[in-house]
Amino acid sequence: MNKFYDAIIIGGGPAGSTMASKLAEKGQHVLVLEKAKFPREHVGESLLPFLYHLFEELGVLDEMKARFSRKPGVTFSNIDGTEASHWCFKHVIKDESGLSFHVRRAEFDDMLLQNSRKKGAEVMEEVSVQKVDLDIDPNQATVYAENAQGEQLQFTGRMVVDASGQNTILATQMKTKKPFESLTPRVAYSSHWENAKLTPELAAGNIKIVHLEGEKMGWFWMIPLIDRLSVGVALNMSYANQQRRILKETTTDWQAKLYEQELQESLVAQEVLAGATRMGPVMANGDFSYYSSTKWGTNFVIVGDASGFLDPIFSSGIYLGMKSSLLVAEGITDMLGGNGTATIETAYSDIQGAYKLVEKLINTFYEPGSIKWDQAGSAFDLSYKKFETAYSILHLILAGDFFKNHAKYFKAIDILRTPQKIEQYKHLIGHDEPTMEQRVCIA
């Protein structure tokens, strides 16, 4: 079987479905090849406010409001809960988009993929891509795949979009997958819990990030979903490997043991999970640091986690992937229409800037000399009002303002490294001074 398409998209996750929906809206003949059967579980449940208007553009905002819990901000805490800072999106986003979402990824990803079908994209699930031939013709590509029944399939299109996530189909094939050299490799273990005892910030909808220092060089998250709490721990890969060797001597399920061991060592986790029950197995996700050095050509583009994956400490991944797909979809439309590559070149320039900005922000979380995020409220001798004004730009970055303003924000992140410069950055944002709540963010 050999069909011809304008665009063949590998992967039906948020980046792939966003690309499919936008290209189908523009009249392109689109095929999505997804290896799994949706719905399926996935990590990455906390979303950024800058996705709000993107959901509106895709036509799914009302469904988002009806189905998922809301997220007013972020709380950073130390391991025993004695220090915490609250970052409330409404202080810098004055419209309703300042209230973001937490999602069950099984439901969220399926909703987006069904939306692509509604807009005219053809979707084939349980189809695993084996190889992509980009060399026969610079203006088209052939995709070789296999379905759940073991049948060999072949598809040809003018453009292949790799949105395969951490499978990195094209980057692996082209040998262009590289590490982010400034970031330490990490691995995450996560699961869902029921009957957790929510602290005020979790009950209000905040994601809670707990800093793990020393050899662990990591963090754990708590995300309040409608009927459960998502809890995960991210650890330095070398520490996790050391623990694996020790735990494998006494248990076959060393990942679950490591996960529970780390949670038991935190007073914050003990308080929340006392009496709670884990609802399923522990999921493992690793390799928080890579990118493809080649992003696009005349017959292919790479978007989302297939293009690059950063430590998810700031919940940036879904927004980076979906926004990148929207920008690149415009470039693909111009290329297929014979209007050159200027649009796609601009798109990838903005995308590169966004990833560099998030990379720099991530480094401030781990660098020993930087201000600790959980101590931000007390680290500066400033009133809350001055503190909030000076940190407005960091609120906007945490909310997802990565793309067009990245050049301006590179300098602002240095606030966390050099507190003396805090007054210099007030002029970079032009909103009214808000009064900072001296308690958790509320909807």
Side-chain angles (χ1 to χ4, degrees):
M1 178 171 60
N2 190 358
K3 295 184 178 181
F4 192 85
Y5 297 88
D6 293 314
I8 301 171
I9 300 171
I10 306 171
S17 58
T18 299
M19 178 70 74
S21 293
K22 294 311 295 182
L23 290 179
E25 279 183 352
K26 294 176 181 298
Q28 308 293 351
H29 188 200
V30 178
L31 171 66
V32 179
L33 301 176
E34 167 55 48
K35 70 174 183 177
K37 175 65 178 175
F38 279 28
R40 55 90 179 96
E41 290 293 350
H42 203 282
V43 295
E45 299 141 321
S46 191
L47 309 185
L48 298 181
F50 272 62
L51 278 162
Y52 188 95
H53 294 300
L54 193 153
F55 293 142
E56 195 170 32
E57 183 176 346
L58 290 174
V60 298
L61 181 58
D62 289 343
E63 193 169 357
M64 290 291 299
K65 291 179 178 179
R67 295 178 63 174
F68 301 115
S69 56
R70 307 306 295 271
K71 172 188 175 182
V74 184
T75 294
F76 290 95
S77 170
N78 64 356
I79 193 168
D80 60 8
T82 57
E83 295 277 1
S85 65
H86 309 291
W87 300 75
C88 308
F89 301 134
K90 69 179 182 181
H91 292 164
V92 292
I93 302 177
K94 300 302 184 180
D95 62 21
E96 61 181 350
S97 68
L99 188 58
S100 190
F101 298 92
H102 299 300
V103 298
R104 282 282 305 278
R105 284 293 299 276
E107 298 177 24
F108 174 72
D109 290 15
D110 187 54
M111 178 196 73
L112 292 178
L113 192 59
Q114 295 305 325
N115 189 54
S116 298
R117 282 191 169 105
K118 292 175 186 176
K119 292 180 180 296
E122 181 181 344
V123 177
M124 298 180 66
E125 298 178 65
E126 297 183 283
V127 173
S128 179
V129 171
Q130 308 297 309
K131 178 184 175 183
V132 180
D133 192 337
L134 301 170
D135 299 327
I136 296 175
D137 186 331
N139 296 312
Q140 67 180 46
T142 300
V143 176
Y144 300 91
E146 180 178 275
N147 65 17
Q149 292 72 44
E151 296 174 314
Q152 301 301 305
L153 308 175
Q154 181 177 325
F155 307 95
T156 303
R158 301 169 66 191
M159 181 70 66
V160 167
V161 178
D162 184 2
S164 63
Q166 293 190 43
N167 289 318
T168 58
I169 297 289
L170 286 183
T172 300
Q173 180 177 306
M174 297 187 298
K175 295 181 172 56
T176 59
K177 187 175 178 179
K178 312 289 184 183
F180 282 102
E181 294 184 358
S182 71
L183 300 177
T184 300
R186 289 180 175 82
V187 60
Y189 305 100
S190 62
S191 191
H192 288 165
W193 296 74
E194 60 182 352
N195 300 320
K197 182 182 178 182
L198 301 185
T199 56
E201 60 270 21
L202 290 171
N206 285 13
I207 180 175
K208 190 165 188 174
I209 303 295
V210 179
H211 191 189
L212 304 177
E213 299 187 72
E215 61 180 343
K216 298 178 182 181
M217 288 185 62
W219 51 284
F220 69 79
W221 71 81
M222 296 182 176
I223 301 172
L225 305 175
I226 289 176
D227 61 347
R228 64 193 64 198
L229 184 70
S230 173
V231 182
V233 57
L235 301 166
N236 184 321
M237 188 75 77
S238 62
Y239 171 79
N241 286 337
Q242 177 193 66
Q243 293 300 305
R244 172 179 56 82
R245 289 189 290 270
I246 296 171
L247 295 172
K248 284 184 73 174
E249 295 181 2
T250 58
T251 179
T252 56
D253 193 2
W254 66 269
Q255 292 180 328
K257 183 67 175 177
L258 176 57
Y259 171 71
E260 293 179 350
Q261 170 185 292
E262 295 304 317
L263 296 181
Q264 288 168 4
E265 292 183 4
S266 168
L267 293 177
V268 174
Q270 289 179 29
E271 176 187 1
V272 172
L273 298 179
T277 303
R278 181 154 58 87
M279 301 174 68
V282 173
M283 299 173 60
N285 296 84
D287 200 2
F288 285 0
S289 173
Y290 66 80
Y291 67 97
S292 176
S293 58
T294 300
K295 308 281 190 187
W296 67 281
T298 58
N299 55 0
F300 75 93
V301 299
I302 308 177
V303 294
D305 288 352
S307 171
F309 188 63
L310 291 162
D311 188 313
I313 176 67
F314 295 111
S315 303
S316 57
I318 291 179
Y319 179 60
L320 285 171
M322 293 181 70
K323 180 64 175 180
S324 295
S325 285
L326 285 183
L327 296 174
V328 174
E330 296 293 336
I332 290 174
T333 300
D334 276 3
M335 289 176 68
L336 296 181
N339 296 317
T341 61
T343 301
I344 204 165
E345 289 173 8
T346 299
Y348 274 109
S349 176
D350 287 340
I351 292 166
Q352 182 180 19
Y355 274 84
K356 285 184 176 180
L357 177 67
V358 177
E359 179 187 3
K360 186 171 185 177
L361 191 66
I362 291 167
N363 279 321
T364 68
F365 184 82
Y366 294 111
E367 287 174 351
S370 295
I371 296 299
K372 297 293 184 290
W373 285 81
D374 51 274
Q375 299 171 1
S378 59
F380 296 90
D381 184 19
L382 296 168
S383 70
Y384 273 110
K385 195 169 186 179
K386 278 189 176 182
F387 166 81
E388 182 73 3
T389 302
Y391 272 70
S392 290
I393 211 164
L394 296 172
H395 274 79
L396 283 171
I397 298 172
L398 289 176
D401 194 11
F402 303 146
F403 287 83
K404 289 297 183 182
N405 290 311
H406 57 261
K408 178 173 66 175
Y409 290 170
F410 279 127
K411 295 180 180 179
I413 291 178
D414 288 336
I415 293 172
L416 292 183
R417 294 170 171 166
T418 52
Q420 297 83 359
K421 295 183 178 180
I422 195 167
E423 297 291 335
Q424 299 177 19
Y425 293 100
K426 289 184 179 181
H427 70 281
L428 293 177
I429 192 69
H431 68 277
D432 296 331
E433 287 192 356
T435 300
M436 183 177 182
E437 295 169 338
Q438 297 190 33
R439 54 190 178 87
V440 303
C441 308
I442 57 175

